[in-house]
Amino acid sequence: MASVAIFIADPKMSKGHNMALREEIDKGSMCDEIVGSSGALQKVLSLVSKVAPTDATVLVTGETGTGKELVARAIHRRSHRSSRAFVCVNCAAVPRDLIASELFGHEKGSFTGALQRRLGRFELAEGGTIFLDEVGELPLGTQIALLRVLQEHEFERVGGTRSIRTNVRVIAATNRNLQVAIQAGTFRSDLFYRLNVFPIDMPPLRERREDIPVLVEYFVDDCARKVGKNIQGITKESLDLLRSYPWPGNIRELHNVIERSVIMCETKNFSVDKTSLSWLAQQPLATEPKIPLDLSEKLADHEIA
Ligand SMILES: Nc1ncnc2c1ncn2[C@@H]1O[C@H](COP(=O)(O)OP(=O)(O)OP(=O)(O)O)[C@@H](O)[C@H]1O
Ligand SMILES: [Mg+2]
């Protein structure tokens, strides 16, 4: 990936940064296939192919683990920027007082510890795409600087006086309701409208259960290949359980459950390791689960079996 070369090539980065970036590199090498054929997912994919070739800013919303980053990568891959960098910034993971420098870079001596000039992520992403994950966590001051980038295509490094022109496509994501953040005064409404030019809302897995069997097959194959196991089928009981489970952690949770179950599996038929279903584990044993009757009946059947 283009972004990998850029990240590795900067020898001035601190050890801590290198750790974070290595994580990104590993993620970038993962398979980027978007699996599923539900109507809800088809709608998302159609939006992706419409917006990808443009330079429009995209705001991807949805619960945790629904595939927001996967969609951002797909938009970049299908754009005319695909041969350039795709740079991810998790706005929630960078300390608030460092986020401006992380995004826009800083000049030597601009704050204690700024021993030399450092390029920010916007400069590293030049010509490509920047993915601002958890954009709702940006401090208000940085929101103003981001608004300027979106409107005027320029920014200044922290401690700098010169405006730098930028040609970077912005894709932002959040699992928070930004309208609530606007009401609370923690997110600028002008930035929201500027980001929300082309919204894509990722449906939770429980609203596209038709995708579960094909996702299960895909993840079982993938995980079995990685651990060198030969798994040929899946028990009906397991597939029913996976279909009826509410998946609060969405596709990431499904992936994790399958990875664990494949490791535990000792036969050629895949069966799900129930102890790894976090939502089931959280249910207090003595009380009724707070789920629709038909679903709780199904789950109860499976627990007895
Ligand atoms: N339709 C899909 N097909 C295959 N894999 C998927 C699909 N959707 C998501 N995944 C996988 O599920 C995991 C979570 O996806 P991703 O990181 O894009 O979610 P997210 O919405 O960004 O989550 P978070 O809000 O927690 O950051 C990843 O490993 C991703 O590859
Ligand atoms: Mg994400």
Side-chain angles (χ1 to χ4, degrees), residues 30 137 268 304:
M30 269 171 28
E137 305 305 316
K268 287 193 170 179
I304 295 161

Side-chain angles (χ1 to χ4, degrees), residues 97-109:
D97 51 348
L98 291 183
I99 185 76
S101 152
E102 186 71 24
L103 291 176
F104 306 116
H106 62 246
E107 298 292 347
K108 184 175 172 181

Side-chain angles (χ1 to χ4, degrees), residues 114-127:
L115 300 179
Q116 48 208 340
R117 166 189 285 178
R118 180 170 184 265
L119 298 187
R121 300 295 184 103
F122 269 95
E123 278 175 276
L124 294 177
E126 182 59 22

